[in-house]
Amino acid sequence: MPDISTYDELSLVGMEIDDLGWTGNRLRANFGDGYGASAVNGNANGLHRWAISSQALPDDADYGDLIAGVPRFQYYWDFFKDHTTGANDVFLIEWRGRKYFAEFVDNTMSAEMHTIDLFSGGVEIRQRRVAGFYEGTDGSVFDPSFHTASMYAWFDETSPDYVGGEFEDVSGNARNFDINGDVITGGATQNGLATAKFNSAGADGYINLVTSAQLFDVFMVLKVREASFSTYQGVLTASATTAAMVGNNGDTKLTNLSHGAGYTFYKNATLLTEATQNMPMNTFGMIHGRWPSGITLLNSQIGKDRADATRMLKADIGEIVLFSVAISAEVAADMRGWLLHKWGIS
């Protein structure tokens, strides 16, 4: 997938943003005498337009806070030039708590007109789409990096560091899991992406972090390398008595641990009951467990069932995202969709 970090985000410090309307694409035919036909010929989420305005004065360092070390107006003017004649005209903006790709409508403007427009009607921008990125439930662009403050840890296909013996936490929260036993690179690829292989030859492989974790949402992309679980294999547990996800011996499902009211489980895009938590067996899939009040795991570990030394997970794992703050249902849905899109899972 393309890298969202290559796109600049327009700072809205001291800026007002006004919605100029939404446009949906629909092809219409008029057959006369009141008859006609129509069909949607564009994205169902349509396109937004906005106007941004500010009371920033040219080169006035005393008016409001500096942005990126320069006066507000200079920042806005430089940003406008960089995204009209620069290498990339597309940038990110935040609107109503979501992020969108956008571009300036008018590519021709003097500094004087830029000042007038910022003060009066506003500088007009419009939504853009960029191929390869995942679109959220409301048409915004979604990427997990927008939500790292809510994460406990995030491990992707680049994470395993076998020199240092760790799964590197790419969320920036510095929660690297230790690699123990038979966990190696070279799991089956999915959608051209690498995975880590747990217990390919031995039966002692798992990853763990010696600390207490309270988790609310857990997402994993994995393939269990069995037609059914040969033991009660630990997917996500604590090192002692608490378990969040454990495979059910002789079954394709997770064990019903009676997590209680509010707990939900998704396989790919399907919501399942706790009694029917089917896992991706011999095929890649995405699972999502959700505990609305959180579940606390002392010495959290992935791939091992609590203190049992024989119940190790036989799986290829591509991505793990653990949230330590309850995320909204909308963000959870976008997270599921993003993982399915990235890993090419139907």
Side-chain angles (χ1 to χ4, degrees):
M1 288 182 68
D3 186 354
I4 196 74
S5 67
T6 61
Y7 292 85
D8 298 326
E9 182 172 349
L10 174 64
S11 172
L12 296 178
V13 172
M15 186 84 76
E16 293 183 3
I17 181 167
D18 297 311
D19 183 20
L20 295 184
W22 174 92
T23 302
N25 289 319
R26 192 173 192 95
L27 185 65
R28 301 180 186 275
N30 186 348
F31 303 144
D33 201 25
Y35 294 101
S38 68
V40 175
N41 64 330
N43 192 295
N45 286 315
L47 291 172
H48 293 279
R49 294 171 74 96
W50 305 274
I52 53 175
S53 59
S54 173
Q55 298 302 302
L57 297 173
D59 300 324
D60 185 355
D62 297 324
Y63 195 95
D65 298 328
L66 299 179
I67 303 177
V70 298
R72 286 183 188 175
F73 175 84
Q74 188 62 47
Y75 167 81
Y76 301 146
W77 178 234
D78 289 345
F79 194 95
F80 174 79
K81 291 188 296 181
D82 288 344
H83 294 85
T84 52
T85 60
N88 193 353
D89 61 332
V90 178
F91 54 92
L92 284 164
I93 65 162
E94 184 170 331
W95 183 61
R96 295 180 177 175
R98 311 286 279 179
K99 296 184 189 292
Y100 295 81
F101 284 125
E103 67 179 358
F104 292 107
V105 172
D106 189 354
N107 288 337
T108 304
M109 189 181 297
S110 65
E112 290 77 11
M113 285 305 301
H114 192 67
T115 305
I116 293 171
D117 283 349
L118 279 175
F119 265 96
S120 56
V123 175
E124 190 173 345
I125 59 178
R126 61 190 168 204
Q127 183 183 350
R128 278 281 303 270
R129 288 191 170 90
V130 179
F133 286 96
Y134 177 74
E135 188 171 286
T137 53
D138 60 356
S140 60
V141 61
F142 178 84
D143 191 87
S145 62
F146 301 156
H147 302 280
T148 53
S150 302
M151 289 181 186
Y152 180 76
W154 175 15
F155 311 109
D156 65 9
E157 74 281 3
T158 69
S159 294
D161 177 3
Y162 296 97
V163 176
E166 292 181 324
F167 261 53
E168 182 183 5
D169 175 15
V170 298
S171 74
N173 295 321
R175 294 191 176 95
N176 295 349
F177 273 44
D178 292 330
I179 294 175
N180 303 275
D182 186 15
V183 179
I184 63 173
T185 56
T189 59
Q190 172 66 18
N191 205 29
L193 300 173
T195 69
K197 180 171 284 191
F198 284 58
N199 298 298
S200 61
D204 59 356
Y206 66 101
I207 61 175
N208 77 299
L209 183 65
V210 184
T211 187
S212 180
Q214 186 181 30
L215 302 177
F216 290 81
D217 286 86
V218 171
F219 301 83
M220 292 190 193
V221 172
L222 76 165
K223 176 181 75 171
V224 182
R225 298 190 312 273
E226 295 183 295
S228 60
F229 288 108
S230 54
T231 66
Y232 293 97
Q233 296 175 20
V235 180
L236 174 65
T237 70
S239 64
T241 58
T242 308
M245 295 179 176
V246 175
N248 195 34
N249 185 23
D251 204 343
T252 62
K253 305 180 183 68
L254 292 179
T255 301
N256 186 344
L257 297 172
S258 300
H259 288 304
Y263 170 75
T264 55
F265 177 87
Y266 287 82
K267 177 187 175 185
N268 299 340
T270 302
L271 175 63
L272 303 174
T273 68
E274 193 168 1
T276 60
Q277 299 173 95
N278 277 300
M279 289 286 285
M281 311 302 293
N282 283 325
T283 187
F284 276 98
M286 184 280 307
I287 60 171
H288 170 208
R290 185 172 175 85
W291 294 263
S293 299
I295 183 169
T296 300
L297 303 176
L298 180 60
N299 302 345
S300 50
Q301 55 192 21
I302 294 170
K304 178 182 179 182
D305 183 14
R306 290 161 280 197
D308 195 296
T310 63
R311 298 175 176 179
M312 303 295 183
L313 181 66
K314 298 177 181 178
D316 296 341
I317 300 181
E319 194 129 9
I320 304 167
V321 191
L322 311 174
F323 282 90
S324 55
V325 175
I327 58 177
S328 69
E330 185 177 46
V331 171
D334 288 343
M335 188 74 227
R336 292 192 298 270
W338 182 87
L339 285 169
L340 295 173
H341 171 75
K342 173 182 176 178
W343 290 90
I345 299 168
S346 299

